[in-house]
Amino acid sequence: SWMAVALGVDGRFAGSDVQDGVDVENTGGLVLAAVPAVYARVFPGGWLLAKAQLPFATSLNGIQTIGPVVTVGLRYEFE
């Protein structure tokens, strides 16, 4: 097939940053994101991919904001 679509969930948790033994304000927390993706074969073994991380749940420490992230790339499969 020349095209594929996917849907996943990414999550990450980070503790607060520490500087000189003290927690840094407004750092760390939890983010969960839905990740739709599209893969298209552009030549034999070569795939163009595009995906977006769309946050749907956060529990961030202090005052922080996070928005969507879009990634585009090229993947080659060696045989």
Side-chain angles (χ1 to χ4, degrees):
S1 138
W2 66 274
M3 185 174 175
V5 295
L7 178 61
V9 175
D10 283 356
R12 65 181 182 268
F13 173 81
S16 295
D17 293 348
V18 177
Q19 183 175 8
D20 299 325
V22 178
D23 286 351
V24 177
E25 291 185 53
N26 305 319
T27 62
L30 172 73
V31 177
L32 297 176
V35 186
V38 177
Y39 302 83
R41 186 175 10 211
V42 291
F43 55 84
W47 292 85
L48 180 65
L49 63 101
K51 67 179 181 176
Q53 292 178 310
L54 309 171
F56 64 84
T58 60
S59 179
L60 301 171
N61 301 330
I63 301 169
Q64 298 184 64
T65 58
I66 189 163
V69 175
V70 175
T71 303
V72 177
L74 185 63
R75 182 177 116 185
Y76 182 75
E77 298 175 351
F78 294 96
E79 295 184 20

